[in-house]
PDB file of all heavy atoms in Angstrom:
ATOM      1  N   VAL A   1       7.949  -3.271   7.169  1.00 95.00           N
ATOM      2  CA  VAL A   1       6.860  -4.203   7.496  1.00 95.00           C
ATOM      3  C   VAL A   1       5.614  -3.426   7.907  1.00 95.00           C
ATOM      4  O   VAL A   1       4.498  -3.753   7.482  1.00 95.00           O
ATOM      5  CB  VAL A   1       7.289  -5.193   8.602  1.00 95.00           C
ATOM      6  CG1 VAL A   1       6.106  -5.967   9.144  1.00 95.00           C
ATOM      7  CG2 VAL A   1       8.333  -6.154   8.065  1.00 95.00           C
ATOM      8  N   LEU A   2       5.801  -2.383   8.697  1.00 96.00           N
ATOM      9  CA  LEU A   2       4.672  -1.559   9.110  1.00 96.00           C
ATOM     10  C   LEU A   2       4.010  -0.885   7.908  1.00 96.00           C
ATOM     11  O   LEU A   2       2.782  -0.856   7.788  1.00 96.00           O
ATOM     12  CB  LEU A   2       5.137  -0.506  10.119  1.00 96.00           C
ATOM     13  CG  LEU A   2       4.065   0.305  10.812  1.00 96.00           C
ATOM     14  CD1 LEU A   2       3.163  -0.589  11.638  1.00 96.00           C
ATOM     15  CD2 LEU A   2       4.716   1.360  11.689  1.00 96.00           C
ATOM     16  N   GLY A   3       4.813  -0.354   7.007  1.00 95.00           N
ATOM     17  CA  GLY A   3       4.281   0.283   5.800  1.00 95.00           C
ATOM     18  C   GLY A   3       3.528  -0.694   4.908  1.00 95.00           C
ATOM     19  O   GLY A   3       2.459  -0.370   4.374  1.00 95.00           O
ATOM     20  N   GLN A   4       4.068  -1.888   4.750  1.00 96.00           N
ATOM     21  CA  GLN A   4       3.394  -2.894   3.921  1.00 96.00           C
ATOM     22  C   GLN A   4       2.086  -3.337   4.565  1.00 96.00           C
ATOM     23  O   GLN A   4       1.093  -3.587   3.864  1.00 96.00           O
ATOM     24  CB  GLN A   4       4.315  -4.097   3.678  1.00 96.00           C
ATOM     25  CG  GLN A   4       5.544  -3.770   2.872  1.00 96.00           C
ATOM     26  CD  GLN A   4       5.236  -3.100   1.561  1.00 96.00           C
ATOM     27  OE1 GLN A   4       4.340  -3.504   0.820  1.00 96.00           O
ATOM     28  NE2 GLN A   4       5.976  -2.046   1.255  1.00 96.00           N
ATOM     29  N   ALA A   5       2.062  -3.413   5.881  1.00 96.00           N
ATOM     30  CA  ALA A   5       0.805  -3.763   6.568  1.00 96.00           C
ATOM     31  C   ALA A   5      -0.245  -2.676   6.349  1.00 96.00           C
ATOM     32  O   ALA A   5      -1.424  -2.978   6.123  1.00 96.00           O
ATOM     33  CB  ALA A   5       1.065  -3.968   8.054  1.00 96.00           C
ATOM     34  N   ALA A   6       0.189  -1.422   6.398  1.00 96.00           N
ATOM     35  CA  ALA A   6      -0.756  -0.321   6.172  1.00 96.00           C
ATOM     36  C   ALA A   6      -1.292  -0.338   4.745  1.00 96.00           C
ATOM     37  O   ALA A   6      -2.497  -0.166   4.516  1.00 96.00           O
ATOM     38  CB  ALA A   6      -0.076   1.018   6.464  1.00 96.00           C
ATOM     39  N   VAL A   7      -0.408  -0.558   3.773  1.00 96.00           N
ATOM     40  CA  VAL A   7      -0.844  -0.614   2.376  1.00 96.00           C
ATOM     41  C   VAL A   7      -1.801  -1.784   2.164  1.00 96.00           C
ATOM     42  O   VAL A   7      -2.813  -1.657   1.466  1.00 96.00           O
ATOM     43  CB  VAL A   7       0.375  -0.711   1.422  1.00 96.00           C
ATOM     44  CG1 VAL A   7      -0.053  -1.032   0.012  1.00 96.00           C
ATOM     45  CG2 VAL A   7       1.170   0.577   1.455  1.00 96.00           C
ATOM     46  N   LEU A   8      -1.496  -2.909   2.779  1.00 96.00           N
ATOM     47  CA  LEU A   8      -2.386  -4.066   2.668  1.00 96.00           C
ATOM     48  C   LEU A   8      -3.756  -3.754   3.271  1.00 96.00           C
ATOM     49  O   LEU A   8      -4.795  -4.093   2.675  1.00 96.00           O
ATOM     50  CB  LEU A   8      -1.775  -5.287   3.357  1.00 96.00           C
ATOM     51  CG  LEU A   8      -2.608  -6.565   3.330  1.00 96.00           C
ATOM     52  CD1 LEU A   8      -2.850  -7.035   1.903  1.00 96.00           C
ATOM     53  CD2 LEU A   8      -1.937  -7.649   4.148  1.00 96.00           C
ATOM     54  N   ALA A   9      -3.766  -3.089   4.419  1.00 96.00           N
ATOM     55  CA  ALA A   9      -5.042  -2.734   5.046  1.00 96.00           C
ATOM     56  C   ALA A   9      -5.855  -1.805   4.146  1.00 96.00           C
ATOM     57  O   ALA A   9      -7.065  -2.013   3.958  1.00 96.00           O
ATOM     58  CB  ALA A   9      -4.787  -2.076   6.403  1.00 96.00           C
ATOM     59  N   PHE A  10      -5.206  -0.794   3.575  1.00 96.00           N
ATOM     60  CA  PHE A  10      -5.920   0.125   2.685  1.00 96.00           C
ATOM     61  C   PHE A  10      -6.406  -0.579   1.419  1.00 96.00           C
ATOM     62  O   PHE A  10      -7.513  -0.315   0.945  1.00 96.00           O
ATOM     63  CB  PHE A  10      -5.039   1.319   2.306  1.00 96.00           C
ATOM     64  CG  PHE A  10      -5.004   2.389   3.348  1.00 96.00           C
ATOM     65  CD1 PHE A  10      -3.832   2.680   4.012  1.00 96.00           C
ATOM     66  CD2 PHE A  10      -6.147   3.111   3.668  1.00 96.00           C
ATOM     67  CE1 PHE A  10      -3.788   3.673   4.979  1.00 96.00           C
ATOM     68  CE2 PHE A  10      -6.121   4.107   4.630  1.00 96.00           C
ATOM     69  CZ  PHE A  10      -4.926   4.387   5.293  1.00 96.00           C
ATOM     70  N   SER A  11      -5.581  -1.470   0.880  1.00 96.00           N
ATOM     71  CA  SER A  11      -6.004  -2.141  -0.351  1.00 96.00           C
ATOM     72  C   SER A  11      -7.157  -3.106  -0.096  1.00 96.00           C
ATOM     73  O   SER A  11      -8.095  -3.180  -0.903  1.00 96.00           O
ATOM     74  CB  SER A  11      -4.821  -2.857  -1.005  1.00 96.00           C
ATOM     75  OG  SER A  11      -4.347  -3.897  -0.183  1.00 96.00           O
ATOM     76  N   LEU A  12      -7.119  -3.805   1.026  1.00 95.00           N
ATOM     77  CA  LEU A  12      -8.231  -4.712   1.340  1.00 95.00           C
ATOM     78  C   LEU A  12      -9.510  -3.929   1.637  1.00 95.00           C
ATOM     79  O   LEU A  12     -10.606  -4.351   1.253  1.00 95.00           O
ATOM     80  CB  LEU A  12      -7.864  -5.624   2.512  1.00 95.00           C
ATOM     81  CG  LEU A  12      -6.776  -6.665   2.219  1.00 95.00           C
ATOM     82  CD1 LEU A  12      -6.431  -7.437   3.484  1.00 95.00           C
ATOM     83  CD2 LEU A  12      -7.198  -7.602   1.105  1.00 95.00           C
ATOM     84  N   THR A  13      -9.363  -2.790   2.311  1.00 96.00           N
ATOM     85  CA  THR A  13     -10.525  -1.935   2.558  1.00 96.00           C
ATOM     86  C   THR A  13     -11.085  -1.400   1.250  1.00 96.00           C
ATOM     87  O   THR A  13     -12.304  -1.327   1.059  1.00 96.00           O
ATOM     88  CB  THR A  13     -10.143  -0.770   3.494  1.00 96.00           C
ATOM     89  OG1 THR A  13      -9.583  -1.312   4.687  1.00 96.00           O
ATOM     90  CG2 THR A  13     -11.345   0.063   3.851  1.00 96.00           C
ATOM     91  N   SER A  14     -10.201  -1.021   0.329  1.00 94.00           N
ATOM     92  CA  SER A  14     -10.649  -0.547  -0.991  1.00 94.00           C
ATOM     93  C   SER A  14     -11.406  -1.631  -1.733  1.00 94.00           C
ATOM     94  O   SER A  14     -12.428  -1.356  -2.381  1.00 94.00           O
ATOM     95  CB  SER A  14      -9.447  -0.085  -1.820  1.00 94.00           C
ATOM     96  OG  SER A  14      -8.821   1.019  -1.221  1.00 94.00           O
ATOM     97  N   LEU A  15     -10.905  -2.860  -1.651  1.00 94.00           N
ATOM     98  CA  LEU A  15     -11.603  -3.971  -2.304  1.00 94.00           C
ATOM     99  C   LEU A  15     -12.953  -4.234  -1.652  1.00 94.00           C
ATOM    100  O   LEU A  15     -13.946  -4.496  -2.339  1.00 94.00           O
ATOM    101  CB  LEU A  15     -10.744  -5.236  -2.253  1.00 94.00           C
ATOM    102  CG  LEU A  15      -9.573  -5.291  -3.223  1.00 94.00           C
ATOM    103  CD1 LEU A  15      -8.680  -6.483  -2.899  1.00 94.00           C
ATOM    104  CD2 LEU A  15     -10.077  -5.370  -4.656  1.00 94.00           C
ATOM    105  N   ALA A  16     -13.015  -4.179  -0.337  1.00 94.00           N
ATOM    106  CA  ALA A  16     -14.261  -4.478   0.365  1.00 94.00           C
ATOM    107  C   ALA A  16     -15.325  -3.413   0.122  1.00 94.00           C
ATOM    108  O   ALA A  16     -16.497  -3.728  -0.065  1.00 94.00           O
ATOM    109  CB  ALA A  16     -13.992  -4.607   1.868  1.00 94.00           C
ATOM    110  N   GLN A  17     -14.895  -2.144   0.107  1.00 94.00           N
ATOM    111  CA  GLN A  17     -15.866  -1.062  -0.032  1.00 94.00           C
ATOM    112  C   GLN A  17     -16.023  -0.583  -1.465  1.00 94.00           C
ATOM    113  O   GLN A  17     -16.864   0.276  -1.741  1.00 94.00           O
ATOM    114  CB  GLN A  17     -15.461   0.109   0.867  1.00 94.00           C
ATOM    115  CG  GLN A  17     -15.505  -0.261   2.330  1.00 94.00           C
ATOM    116  CD  GLN A  17     -15.124   0.908   3.216  1.00 94.00           C
ATOM    117  OE1 GLN A  17     -14.787   1.980   2.745  1.00 94.00           O
ATOM    118  NE2 GLN A  17     -15.191   0.689   4.512  1.00 94.00           N
ATOM    119  N   GLN A  18     -15.218  -1.096  -2.360  1.00 93.00           N
ATOM    120  CA  GLN A  18     -15.228  -0.726  -3.781  1.00 93.00           C
ATOM    121  C   GLN A  18     -15.083   0.783  -3.975  1.00 93.00           C
ATOM    122  O   GLN A  18     -15.782   1.400  -4.790  1.00 93.00           O
ATOM    123  CB  GLN A  18     -16.484  -1.263  -4.473  1.00 93.00           C
ATOM    124  CG  GLN A  18     -16.522  -2.772  -4.481  1.00 93.00           C
ATOM    125  CD  GLN A  18     -17.701  -3.315  -5.253  1.00 93.00           C
ATOM    126  OE1 GLN A  18     -18.615  -2.593  -5.617  1.00 93.00           O
ATOM    127  NE2 GLN A  18     -17.664  -4.606  -5.523  1.00 93.00           N
ATOM    128  N   VAL A  19     -14.177   1.342  -3.202  1.00 93.00           N
ATOM    129  CA  VAL A  19     -13.845   2.767  -3.270  1.00 93.00           C
ATOM    130  C   VAL A  19     -12.336   2.868  -3.040  1.00 93.00           C
ATOM    131  O   VAL A  19     -11.782   2.127  -2.231  1.00 93.00           O
ATOM    132  CB  VAL A  19     -14.582   3.569  -2.171  1.00 93.00           C
ATOM    133  CG1 VAL A  19     -14.138   5.018  -2.146  1.00 93.00           C
ATOM    134  CG2 VAL A  19     -16.072   3.481  -2.354  1.00 93.00           C
ATOM    135  N   ASN A  20     -11.677   3.785  -3.746  1.00 93.00           N
ATOM    136  CA  ASN A  20     -10.248   3.989  -3.523  1.00 93.00           C
ATOM    137  C   ASN A  20     -10.037   4.635  -2.152  1.00 93.00           C
ATOM    138  O   ASN A  20     -10.340   5.808  -1.961  1.00 93.00           O
ATOM    139  CB  ASN A  20      -9.644   4.880  -4.610  1.00 93.00           C
ATOM    140  CG  ASN A  20      -9.646   4.209  -5.959  1.00 93.00           C
ATOM    141  OD1 ASN A  20      -9.614   2.988  -6.045  1.00 93.00           O
ATOM    142  ND2 ASN A  20      -9.693   4.997  -7.007  1.00 93.00           N
ATOM    143  N   GLU A  21      -9.541   3.869  -1.203  1.00 93.00           N
ATOM    144  CA  GLU A  21      -9.345   4.367   0.162  1.00 93.00           C
ATOM    145  C   GLU A  21      -8.037   5.139   0.310  1.00 93.00           C
ATOM    146  O   GLU A  21      -7.834   5.813   1.306  1.00 93.00           O
ATOM    147  CB  GLU A  21      -9.357   3.208   1.166  1.00 93.00           C
ATOM    148  CG  GLU A  21     -10.707   2.571   1.341  1.00 93.00           C
ATOM    149  CD  GLU A  21     -11.700   3.491   2.027  1.00 93.00           C
ATOM    150  OE1 GLU A  21     -11.282   4.304   2.874  1.00 93.00           O
ATOM    151  OE2 GLU A  21     -12.890   3.398   1.698  1.00 93.00           O
ATOM    152  N   MET A  22      -7.156   5.020  -0.667  1.00 93.00           N
ATOM    153  CA  MET A  22      -5.902   5.765  -0.649  1.00 93.00           C
ATOM    154  C   MET A  22      -5.574   6.126  -2.086  1.00 93.00           C
ATOM    155  O   MET A  22      -5.979   5.421  -3.009  1.00 93.00           O
ATOM    156  CB  MET A  22      -4.803   4.951   0.045  1.00 93.00           C
ATOM    157  CG  MET A  22      -3.810   4.219  -0.806  1.00 93.00           C
ATOM    158  SD  MET A  22      -2.687   3.117   0.097  1.00 93.00           S
ATOM    159  CE  MET A  22      -1.504   4.189   0.790  1.00 93.00           C
ATOM    160  N   PRO A  23      -4.866   7.213  -2.298  1.00 94.00           N
ATOM    161  CA  PRO A  23      -4.522   7.581  -3.673  1.00 94.00           C
ATOM    162  C   PRO A  23      -3.676   6.493  -4.340  1.00 94.00           C
ATOM    163  O   PRO A  23      -2.808   5.885  -3.699  1.00 94.00           O
ATOM    164  CB  PRO A  23      -3.717   8.869  -3.509  1.00 94.00           C
ATOM    165  CG  PRO A  23      -4.094   9.405  -2.177  1.00 94.00           C
ATOM    166  CD  PRO A  23      -4.446   8.219  -1.331  1.00 94.00           C
ATOM    167  N   LEU A  24      -3.926   6.256  -5.611  1.00 94.00           N
ATOM    168  CA  LEU A  24      -3.204   5.205  -6.329  1.00 94.00           C
ATOM    169  C   LEU A  24      -1.707   5.481  -6.355  1.00 94.00           C
ATOM    170  O   LEU A  24      -0.902   4.558  -6.216  1.00 94.00           O
ATOM    171  CB  LEU A  24      -3.752   5.074  -7.749  1.00 94.00           C
ATOM    172  CG  LEU A  24      -5.250   4.771  -7.887  1.00 94.00           C
ATOM    173  CD1 LEU A  24      -5.634   4.638  -9.354  1.00 94.00           C
ATOM    174  CD2 LEU A  24      -5.622   3.525  -7.130  1.00 94.00           C
ATOM    175  N   ALA A  25      -1.354   6.752  -6.555  1.00 95.00           N
ATOM    176  CA  ALA A  25       0.071   7.104  -6.603  1.00 95.00           C
ATOM    177  C   ALA A  25       0.757   6.802  -5.269  1.00 95.00           C
ATOM    178  O   ALA A  25       1.911   6.361  -5.241  1.00 95.00           O
ATOM    179  CB  ALA A  25       0.233   8.571  -6.967  1.00 95.00           C
ATOM    180  N   LEU A  26       0.064   6.993  -4.165  1.00 95.00           N
ATOM    181  CA  LEU A  26       0.632   6.706  -2.848  1.00 95.00           C
ATOM    182  C   LEU A  26       0.833   5.197  -2.664  1.00 95.00           C
ATOM    183  O   LEU A  26       1.845   4.760  -2.097  1.00 95.00           O
ATOM    184  CB  LEU A  26      -0.270   7.269  -1.752  1.00 95.00           C
ATOM    185  CG  LEU A  26       0.242   7.134  -0.322  1.00 95.00           C
ATOM    186  CD1 LEU A  26       1.587   7.821  -0.156  1.00 95.00           C
ATOM    187  CD2 LEU A  26      -0.774   7.717   0.646  1.00 95.00           C
ATOM    188  N   ALA A  27      -0.105   4.417  -3.145  1.00 95.00           N
ATOM    189  CA  ALA A  27       0.033   2.964  -3.059  1.00 95.00           C
ATOM    190  C   ALA A  27       1.218   2.485  -3.892  1.00 95.00           C
ATOM    191  O   ALA A  27       1.995   1.628  -3.446  1.00 95.00           O
ATOM    192  CB  ALA A  27      -1.247   2.283  -3.526  1.00 95.00           C
ATOM    193  N   ILE A  28       1.370   3.050  -5.077  1.00 95.00           N
ATOM    194  CA  ILE A  28       2.510   2.681  -5.925  1.00 95.00           C
ATOM    195  C   ILE A  28       3.811   3.089  -5.252  1.00 95.00           C
ATOM    196  O   ILE A  28       4.774   2.312  -5.202  1.00 95.00           O
ATOM    197  CB  ILE A  28       2.379   3.334  -7.321  1.00 95.00           C
ATOM    198  CG1 ILE A  28       1.187   2.734  -8.061  1.00 95.00           C
ATOM    199  CG2 ILE A  28       3.662   3.174  -8.127  1.00 95.00           C
ATOM    200  CD1 ILE A  28       0.811   3.485  -9.316  1.00 95.00           C
ATOM    201  N   ALA A  29       3.848   4.296  -4.710  1.00 96.00           N
ATOM    202  CA  ALA A  29       5.059   4.775  -4.032  1.00 96.00           C
ATOM    203  C   ALA A  29       5.397   3.911  -2.817  1.00 96.00           C
ATOM    204  O   ALA A  29       6.576   3.641  -2.549  1.00 96.00           O
ATOM    205  CB  ALA A  29       4.879   6.233  -3.618  1.00 96.00           C
ATOM    206  N   ALA A  30       4.391   3.458  -2.097  1.00 95.00           N
ATOM    207  CA  ALA A  30       4.634   2.623  -0.921  1.00 95.00           C
ATOM    208  C   ALA A  30       5.210   1.265  -1.319  1.00 95.00           C
ATOM    209  O   ALA A  30       6.113   0.744  -0.647  1.00 95.00           O
ATOM    210  CB  ALA A  30       3.342   2.437  -0.133  1.00 95.00           C
ATOM    211  N   GLU A  31       4.713   0.695  -2.401  1.00 95.00           N
ATOM    212  CA  GLU A  31       5.227  -0.606  -2.836  1.00 95.00           C
ATOM    213  C   GLU A  31       6.648  -0.492  -3.384  1.00 95.00           C
ATOM    214  O   GLU A  31       7.513  -1.290  -3.041  1.00 95.00           O
ATOM    215  CB  GLU A  31       4.293  -1.226  -3.883  1.00 95.00           C
ATOM    216  CG  GLU A  31       2.914  -1.568  -3.348  1.00 95.00           C
ATOM    217  CD  GLU A  31       2.977  -2.512  -2.166  1.00 95.00           C
ATOM    218  OE1 GLU A  31       3.459  -3.639  -2.320  1.00 95.00           O
ATOM    219  OE2 GLU A  31       2.550  -2.104  -1.083  1.00 95.00           O
ATOM    220  N   VAL A  32       6.879   0.501  -4.223  1.00 96.00           N
ATOM    221  CA  VAL A  32       8.230   0.698  -4.771  1.00 96.00           C
ATOM    222  C   VAL A  32       9.179   1.111  -3.648  1.00 96.00           C
ATOM    223  O   VAL A  32      10.320   0.645  -3.574  1.00 96.00           O
ATOM    224  CB  VAL A  32       8.218   1.741  -5.910  1.00 96.00           C
ATOM    225  CG1 VAL A  32       9.622   2.088  -6.359  1.00 96.00           C
ATOM    226  CG2 VAL A  32       7.399   1.212  -7.084  1.00 96.00           C
ATOM    227  N   GLY A  33       8.708   1.979  -2.754  1.00 95.00           N
ATOM    228  CA  GLY A  33       9.517   2.376  -1.602  1.00 95.00           C
ATOM    229  C   GLY A  33       9.861   1.199  -0.705  1.00 95.00           C
ATOM    230  O   GLY A  33      10.947   1.151  -0.118  1.00 95.00           O
ATOM    231  N   GLY A  34       8.951   0.261  -0.591  1.00 94.00           N
ATOM    232  CA  GLY A  34       9.230  -0.940   0.198  1.00 94.00           C
ATOM    233  C   GLY A  34      10.366  -1.755  -0.382  1.00 94.00           C
ATOM    234  O   GLY A  34      11.215  -2.278   0.348  1.00 94.00           O
ATOM    235  N   LEU A  35      10.395  -1.856  -1.708  1.00 95.00           N
ATOM    236  CA  LEU A  35      11.501  -2.577  -2.351  1.00 95.00           C
ATOM    237  C   LEU A  35      12.824  -1.833  -2.185  1.00 95.00           C
ATOM    238  O   LEU A  35      13.863  -2.437  -1.924  1.00 95.00           O
ATOM    239  CB  LEU A  35      11.189  -2.797  -3.831  1.00 95.00           C
ATOM    240  CG  LEU A  35      10.035  -3.749  -4.121  1.00 95.00           C
ATOM    241  CD1 LEU A  35       9.725  -3.776  -5.609  1.00 95.00           C
ATOM    242  CD2 LEU A  35      10.362  -5.147  -3.623  1.00 95.00           C
ATOM    243  N   VAL A  36      12.773  -0.514  -2.313  1.00 95.00           N
ATOM    244  CA  VAL A  36      13.988   0.294  -2.134  1.00 95.00           C
ATOM    245  C   VAL A  36      14.462   0.213  -0.682  1.00 95.00           C
ATOM    246  O   VAL A  36      15.663   0.101  -0.415  1.00 95.00           O
ATOM    247  CB  VAL A  36      13.736   1.751  -2.570  1.00 95.00           C
ATOM    248  CG1 VAL A  36      14.899   2.646  -2.215  1.00 95.00           C
ATOM    249  CG2 VAL A  36      13.469   1.806  -4.071  1.00 95.00           C
ATOM    250  N   ALA A  37      13.541   0.256   0.273  1.00 94.00           N
ATOM    251  CA  ALA A  37      13.908   0.143   1.686  1.00 94.00           C
ATOM    252  C   ALA A  37      14.510  -1.226   1.988  1.00 94.00           C
ATOM    253  O   ALA A  37      15.435  -1.338   2.800  1.00 94.00           O
ATOM    254  CB  ALA A  37      12.690   0.390   2.570  1.00 94.00           C
ATOM    255  N   LEU A  38      14.012  -2.258   1.338  1.00 93.00           N
ATOM    256  CA  LEU A  38      14.580  -3.598   1.507  1.00 93.00           C
ATOM    257  C   LEU A  38      16.025  -3.627   1.025  1.00 93.00           C
ATOM    258  O   LEU A  38      16.909  -4.173   1.691  1.00 93.00           O
ATOM    259  CB  LEU A  38      13.736  -4.629   0.750  1.00 93.00           C
ATOM    260  CG  LEU A  38      14.168  -6.084   0.843  1.00 93.00           C
ATOM    261  CD1 LEU A  38      14.161  -6.556   2.287  1.00 93.00           C
ATOM    262  CD2 LEU A  38      13.247  -6.941  -0.009  1.00 93.00           C
ATOM    263  N   LEU A  39      16.283  -2.995  -0.096  1.00 94.00           N
ATOM    264  CA  LEU A  39      17.649  -2.901  -0.616  1.00 94.00           C
ATOM    265  C   LEU A  39      18.528  -2.088   0.338  1.00 94.00           C
ATOM    266  O   LEU A  39      19.665  -2.467   0.636  1.00 94.00           O
ATOM    267  CB  LEU A  39      17.628  -2.259  -2.008  1.00 94.00           C
ATOM    268  CG  LEU A  39      18.970  -2.078  -2.692  1.00 94.00           C
ATOM    269  CD1 LEU A  39      19.608  -3.426  -2.977  1.00 94.00           C
ATOM    270  CD2 LEU A  39      18.796  -1.293  -3.971  1.00 94.00           C
ATOM    271  N   GLY A  40      18.020  -0.968   0.841  1.00 93.00           N
ATOM    272  CA  GLY A  40      18.776  -0.140   1.771  1.00 93.00           C
ATOM    273  C   GLY A  40      19.085  -0.857   3.075  1.00 93.00           C
ATOM    274  O   GLY A  40      20.186  -0.735   3.618  1.00 93.00           O
ATOM    275  N   ALA A  41      18.132  -1.609   3.588  1.00 92.00           N
ATOM    276  CA  ALA A  41      18.355  -2.353   4.827  1.00 92.00           C
ATOM    277  C   ALA A  41      19.405  -3.438   4.620  1.00 92.00           C
ATOM    278  O   ALA A  41      20.234  -3.686   5.503  1.00 92.00           O
ATOM    279  CB  ALA A  41      17.045  -2.970   5.318  1.00 92.00           C
ATOM    280  N   GLY A  42      19.391  -4.060   3.459  1.00 90.00           N
ATOM    281  CA  GLY A  42      20.418  -5.060   3.154  1.00 90.00           C
ATOM    282  C   GLY A  42      21.802  -4.442   3.077  1.00 90.00           C
ATOM    283  O   GLY A  42      22.782  -5.008   3.569  1.00 90.00           O
TER     284      GLY A  42
END
């Protein structure tokens, strides 16, 4: 949940400022990692 909140904050900041605030690969890894972590927690 903390990781998804951070990714959401960076993505909204990127949209607001029209600049990539975090590397795209890191954002992809965070989203895919979130799904894997959900599976692991289950």
Side-chain angles (χ1 to χ4, degrees):
V1 168
L2 189 62
Q4 295 306 315
V7 169
L8 179 61
F10 279 115
S11 65
L12 291 176
T13 304
S14 296
L15 284 170
Q17 296 181 358
Q18 296 184 349
V19 174
N20 293 333
E21 290 292 328
M22 100 188 282
L24 302 181
L26 184 59
I28 293 169
E31 295 303 298
V32 173
L35 293 174
V36 172
L38 181 60
L39 180 64

